[in-house]
Amino acid sequence: MGLMGRMWGREQRRLWALAAVAGVCCLATILVFAPGYLSPDSLDQLRQAEGKLPLTDWHPPVLSLVWRALIAVTGSIASMLVLQSVLFWGALWVLAWCVGALTGSRAGSFAVLGLGLTPFVLTFVGVVWKDVHTAFALLAACGVAFTGLRLRDRDLRRPALRWGLLGLGVLFLAYAMLVRKNAFFAAIPVFVLLVLALWRAPGRRTWVTCTAALLAALVVPAAAISLFARPLETKQGAQIMLDDLVHVLRVDELRSADVSPGLRDRLVSAAEECRRVGALSDAYWACYARPADGLRSDSGEITSLWLDEMSGHVPRYLQYRLRLFASLLFETGYVYKAGITRNDLGVEVAHPRLEDMLGTYVRGMARDLPWLFRGWFWLAVALVLAVRPGTGLFSMPVRALGISSAAYILGYLPIMPATDFRYLYWPAIACSLGLLLLWLGRDAPPPPPKSPGTRADRALPAHQPADAGGQ
């Protein structure tokens, strides 16, 4: 009992030490980013959250609705920054605790927390963007999965705890997909990790039940938002098709396009303007003469024209999309969002000197170590982690993180609207975590596999690094 008591006391001290460090980092993040860094997209969602603009689906309505609820409860727009910071540092704290317990490495657990201070991660922690929400929700789902790995062979003998963790994990995954549709590519490997972390060898019934839970967590909120919040439909998907049309078709082809004269003129003008200013993407904002209703009136004709023309211009379409994707990989931009875009809401950065300090840190590192902010680097790391995750304790999570990151980056190939670093934000977080896990778990063998449907799934593993480390 004396030995067990000392081990438990050591575990508790480590847990509270990690919590103290995470808490300090969380408070510092809130202080530096207060009241939250806001781009034009962020400000648009803030206006919707405050009811100054109608709710639309151009940006994820779920984010605006969550912000609206937070403002209603707290009376402060900074509540979204607080939520983001707590979710991010809370997820890192859970991961750090689990990694420390599974490896017995105090340094390793603090290294997990240290990932939050790296420039390519810290840069967007307090920016209110859907990309950030997606990344943090996926990271939180990974924290739930690691909690399952930590507790699976002891406390998860109780079905209620296991299913409770699954429910929490799928809620995070569903939110990630609700705030960014293409997060589906990143969420599925994390979902597989979650299920395998909670069940050593899940049977078909378990997979069906878990998948149904994920679908329910995704469909029910989406349907509720559509029925009750009724966001204005903006036809944003036509934005990608517009990019393809004005960059793939020649101007003379656009002049003879079988569309209404007004749209034809706008397409021709957009193509000429994009060529004049050198805009490779984002034609809707950079080159297009937007009507008062945005894309709503043009979307049907744009879609029909895209379907007709792209099938006959496959080589040019592929060249354009590959050229744009290469820009994301090798000319990645917008690595830092400086404070708050000038606005008519009276919202300003609370601590300009702290913002200057953060900008100096991130921009300086981007200048000195530019590959940390390039898509090619994170795609290469993701592929390595997916193909060669090692054979140690964390081989399964490392592979899942690699596949999630690679799928997320490659999924942008046909739909990428710009070449911003925020589109690589989740891969940067996931791959840096994967590299650290690969290093920390290299000397610890994975637990022996268990057969599905047997009581062996409930047995204690032959190797328990947490207990060994405590001795």
Side-chain angles (χ1 to χ4, degrees):
M1 291 296 294
L3 178 59
M4 292 299 294
R6 288 195 298 272
M7 290 170 56
W8 174 252
R10 187 176 303 171
E11 180 78 8
Q12 288 296 100
R13 287 193 297 273
R14 182 188 314 180
L15 182 63
W16 285 111
L18 289 170
V21 173
V24 170
C25 291
C26 182
L27 291 174
T29 298
I30 294 171
L31 183 66
V32 171
F33 284 94
Y37 290 1
L38 307 175
S39 70
D41 289 352
S42 315
L43 290 165
D44 194 45
Q45 294 211 265
L46 175 58
R47 292 184 180 97
Q48 294 180 38
E50 294 184 323
K52 296 176 180 178
L53 286 178
L55 191 69
T56 74
D57 65 357
W58 187 274
H59 302 296
V62 65
L63 196 159
S64 296
L65 291 172
V66 169
W67 207 348
R68 180 179 297 178
L70 290 173
I71 293 172
V73 172
T74 66
S76 172
I77 66 170
S79 52
M80 181 59 82
L81 168 64
V82 175
L83 175 64
Q84 288 182 200
S85 300
V86 170
L87 180 61
F88 174 68
W89 288 106
L92 282 182
W93 171 61
V94 171
L95 287 165
W97 166 64
C98 293
V99 168
L102 289 166
T103 62
S105 171
R106 180 186 294 269
S109 59
F110 282 100
V112 173
L113 283 183
L115 291 177
L117 300 176
T118 54
F120 52 86
V121 175
L122 188 61
T123 180
F124 294 148
V125 170
V127 183
V128 183
W129 272 339
K130 56 189 174 185
D131 313 86
V132 176
H133 280 236
T134 293
F136 291 176
L138 292 171
L139 186 67
C142 290
V144 176
F146 267 74
T147 302
L149 286 174
R150 173 71 180 94
L151 303 178
R152 179 172 58 185
D153 300 303
R154 292 181 295 185
D155 301 283
L156 287 188
R157 297 177 185 180
R158 294 175 290 170
L161 180 57
R162 178 174 294 181
W163 288 105
L165 288 173
L166 176 77
L168 182 61
V170 298
L171 285 176
F172 284 128
L173 291 172
Y175 182 77
M177 289 184 279
L178 285 171
V179 293
R180 200 171 242 301
K181 298 180 183 68
N182 61 306
F184 170 84
F185 299 110
I188 295 307
V190 178
F191 171 69
V192 173
L193 168 64
L194 176 66
V195 176
L196 293 178
L198 295 173
W199 288 270
R200 279 195 181 281
R204 181 181 301 175
R205 181 178 299 179
T206 300
W207 279 112
V208 170
T209 304
C210 294
T211 303
L214 178 62
L215 291 175
L218 183 62
V219 172
V220 172
I225 291 171
S226 178
L227 288 173
F228 299 109
R230 297 182 181 277
L232 182 65
E233 193 174 2
T234 59
K235 305 293 185 180
Q236 188 205 12
Q239 181 184 6
I240 305 301
M241 299 180 190
L242 177 63
D243 262 346
D244 293 335
L245 290 172
V246 301
H247 289 99
V248 172
L249 300 184
R250 297 191 303 268
V251 173
D252 61 299
E253 292 172 325
L254 289 172
R255 285 198 177 100
S256 61
D258 185 18
V259 293
S260 63
L263 176 58
R264 187 185 306 120
D265 291 341
R266 286 192 289 275
L267 290 175
V268 170
S269 297
E272 292 175 339
E273 179 66 11
C274 282
R275 284 163 176 74
R276 186 186 72 81
V277 301
L280 186 62
S281 61
D282 214 10
Y284 178 75
W285 297 107
C287 315
Y288 192 63
R290 300 183 297 278
D293 64 348
L295 287 170
R296 286 195 296 276
S297 60
D298 292 342
S299 63
E301 288 188 286
I302 287 175
T303 301
S304 297
L305 183 62
W306 187 91
L307 292 172
D308 291 339
E309 295 293 343
M310 291 306 113
S311 59
H313 297 85
V314 174
R316 271 193 264 167
Y317 170 76
L318 293 177
Q319 289 174 25
Y320 167 65
R321 278 290 151 190
L322 289 171
R323 170 67 180 89
L324 190 57
F325 190 67
S327 296
L328 177 68
L329 297 183
F330 300 102
E331 298 174 353
T332 317
Y334 208 177
V335 300
Y336 175 69
K337 169 65 188 95
I340 298 174
T341 300
R342 184 176 299 178
N343 60 87
D344 58 0
L345 300 175
V347 183
E348 298 179 349
V349 173
H351 307 288
R353 290 185 178 179
L354 293 180
E355 191 276 326
D356 289 342
M357 180 181 68
L358 176 63
T360 300
Y361 170 55
V362 174
R363 289 183 177 123
M365 293 299 287
R367 182 182 61 251
D368 296 338
L369 301 173
W371 44 273
L372 288 175
F373 296 86
R374 293 288 184 266
W376 67 264
F377 175 74
W378 295 115
L379 179 58
V381 173
L383 293 174
V384 170
L385 295 179
V387 176
R388 299 294 298 272
T391 58
L393 177 64
F394 298 124
S395 58
M396 180 181 67
V398 167
R399 171 163 280 157
L401 291 168
I403 295 174
S404 175
S405 301
Y408 190 66
I409 296 174
L410 295 173
Y412 270 110
L413 181 57
I415 63 170
M416 187 175 58
T419 59
D420 299 348
F421 180 66
R422 60 173 167 164
Y423 302 136
L424 304 169
Y425 193 51
W426 164 243
I429 294 175
C431 288
S432 54
L433 176 61
L435 286 173
L436 182 57
L437 293 175
L438 182 63
W439 173 262
L440 294 174
R442 68 194 185 284
D443 296 327
K450 302 294 182 181
S451 301
T454 67
R455 293 187 61 85
D457 184 53
R458 301 180 181 179
L460 290 173
H463 176 79
Q464 291 192 20
D467 293 343
Q471 296 173 0

